[in-house]
Amino acid sequence: MAKILVVGSMNMDIVTQVERHPVPGETIHGNETRFFIGGKGANQAVAASRSGASVAMAGGLGTDSFGADIRKQLAEDGIDLDYVSEQPAMTGIAVITIDQTGENNIILSAGANGKYGEDEVDTLDLTGFDVILLQNEIAQAVNQRVLEKAAMAHIPVFLNPAPITGFDHTQLNNVSFLILNEVEAEELSGIRIDGISEALQAGKQMLEAGLPHLIITLGSKGSLYLDQAGTQIETPAFSVDAVDTTAAGDTFIGAFVAKYIGGTPLNESLRYATAASALAVSAAGAQSSIPSEDKVHEFLQRVELIN
Ligand code: RIB
């Protein structure tokens, strides 16, 4: 079983359904507003745990009721919370609108995520972890400290540079595995990505810059895996009715890392993660939409019967 440490964000997502996203200066009517537990770090931790990995989470929560709700959910998912600290700030909040096609807009207030500090990274005992997962919703200096500490302990770091705004590119120097979507790949490579062929061009450029392994996810166009050994795997997406794309990428990442580090062959891990994220897109919310391993296997069996 893979043993994974996620150092990252935990948020309360406040989600309103809208017919379309507002334009600047416009007020529109929303439909129902609901609260979901999210945050890229916590979502990836939950996805990995529901796919059979042993997971510990490190990061900051406020002392408010949102923090308590998040702690309760992560504990129910069997995630070790010894490295989750209380911070003198509100728990992180994501204000999300979802339109009729399932596409979202997200505004983040980092709150306690931004208070989790490098000094706390220094107290992490990395012994026994197979891999560390990072995103870009906590302080850049914290990610840098994790990368330095992981390098000293010879533990590979899988990084998801999301959201890409404010991402410190020097982090790429110490990353073993980069998992990013087309928007992030465009930003890092400067290449406009419309499909697999441009993703391939962008990915090759990143490999030339020294990245050992990378996956570019392309939504309904699937994903592309590349590495320094010349392996190239295109994994097609499954066609599903999109209800809410929130946490689909996080689900892919957590599910992939759990399977791949747990010993499942690379191409099977990619197919499994693609199925997990298809299921996440088919349900509302962040962690509420992340499937268990059983559900992913059932989905894959159903798809195989149809084809
Ligand atoms: O990736 C989805 C997540 O992004 C949401 O759960 C929200 O909290 C934001 O961090």
Side-chain angles (χ1 to χ4, degrees):
M1 182 196 286
K3 198 157 180 243
I4 301 170
L5 173 64
V6 181
V7 186
S9 59
M10 295 164 275
N11 294 332
M12 183 56 76
D13 294 353
I14 303 175
V15 183
T16 302
Q17 298 286 335
V18 292
E19 270 168 37
R20 60 171 179 80
H21 299 292
V23 297
E26 186 187 23
T27 301
I28 59 167
H29 289 281
N31 298 324
E32 200 187 12
T33 293
R34 294 167 72 187
F35 290 70
F36 292 105
I37 292 170
K40 290 186 197 304
N43 295 344
Q44 292 176 21
V46 165
S49 180
R50 291 185 191 166
S51 283
S54 159
V55 182
M57 178 87 212
L61 287 173
T63 52
D64 43 69
S65 63
F66 289 160
D69 294 342
I70 293 171
R71 201 176 264 281
K72 184 166 175 280
Q73 179 59 58
L74 297 185
E76 277 172 17
D77 266 296
I79 294 167
D80 178 347
L81 301 176
D82 285 357
Y83 290 129
V84 172
S85 57
E86 285 188 349
Q87 303 291 338
M90 273 289 287
T91 293
I93 304 271
V95 175
I96 303 180
T97 50
I98 316 266
D99 72 12
Q100 282 184 322
T101 69
E103 274 305 330
N104 61 33
N105 272 346
I106 303 182
I107 301 171
L108 279 178
S109 295
N113 296 307
K115 299 279 180 205
Y116 181 81
E118 296 122 279
D119 51 335
E120 294 179 90
V121 174
D122 294 341
T123 67
L124 299 175
D125 178 1
L126 301 186
T127 315
F129 287 109
D130 298 310
V131 67
I132 298 175
L133 252 180
L134 289 178
Q135 311 76 32
N136 191 35
E137 285 189 345
I138 58 174
Q140 299 291 295
V142 170
N143 271 8
Q144 286 290 7
R145 187 69 66 94
V146 173
L147 286 161
E148 286 160 19
K149 193 166 167 145
M152 284 196 309
H154 304 289
I155 299 176
V157 176
F158 283 45
L159 173 77
N160 169 224
I164 194 72
T165 314
F167 176 68
D168 173 359
H169 293 205
T170 62
Q171 288 182 30
L172 297 175
N173 302 334
N174 291 312
V175 166
S176 305
F177 215 119
L178 189 70
I179 308 181
L180 69 179
N181 68 18
E182 66 264 59
V183 174
E184 293 141 13
E186 271 186 26
E187 175 69 27
L188 292 185
S189 66
I191 295 169
R192 173 148 177 71
I193 299 178
D194 287 318
I196 289 278
S197 64
E198 297 91 354
L200 186 58
Q201 211 188 328
K204 284 189 171 161
Q205 183 181 304
M206 288 187 253
L207 288 181
E208 275 161 26
L211 263 174
H213 312 260
L214 64 92
I215 300 172
I216 301 177
T217 59
L218 299 160
S220 60
K221 293 180 182 139
S223 68
L224 175 69
Y225 167 91
L226 297 173
D227 65 24
Q228 291 287 346
T231 315
Q232 181 179 323
I233 303 175
E234 288 173 32
T235 307
F238 298 100
S239 163
V240 289
D241 287 333
V243 171
D244 179 354
T245 56
T246 311
D250 298 330
T251 301
F252 180 98
I253 293 165
F256 172 76
V257 176
K259 287 293 156 200
Y260 181 57
I261 299 296
T264 302
L266 176 59
N267 55 352
E268 274 178 45
S269 301
L270 288 163
R271 187 168 155 80
Y272 175 93
T274 306
S277 78
L279 287 169
V281 164
S282 317
Q287 289 169 29
S288 52
S289 73
I290 298 173
S292 64
E293 192 170 13
D294 289 355
K295 294 269 178 271
V296 180
H297 286 306
E298 258 173 44
F299 176 84
L300 283 169
Q301 275 168 5
R302 250 185 295 139
V303 170
E304 267 153 34
L305 281 178
I306 293 165
N307 294 328

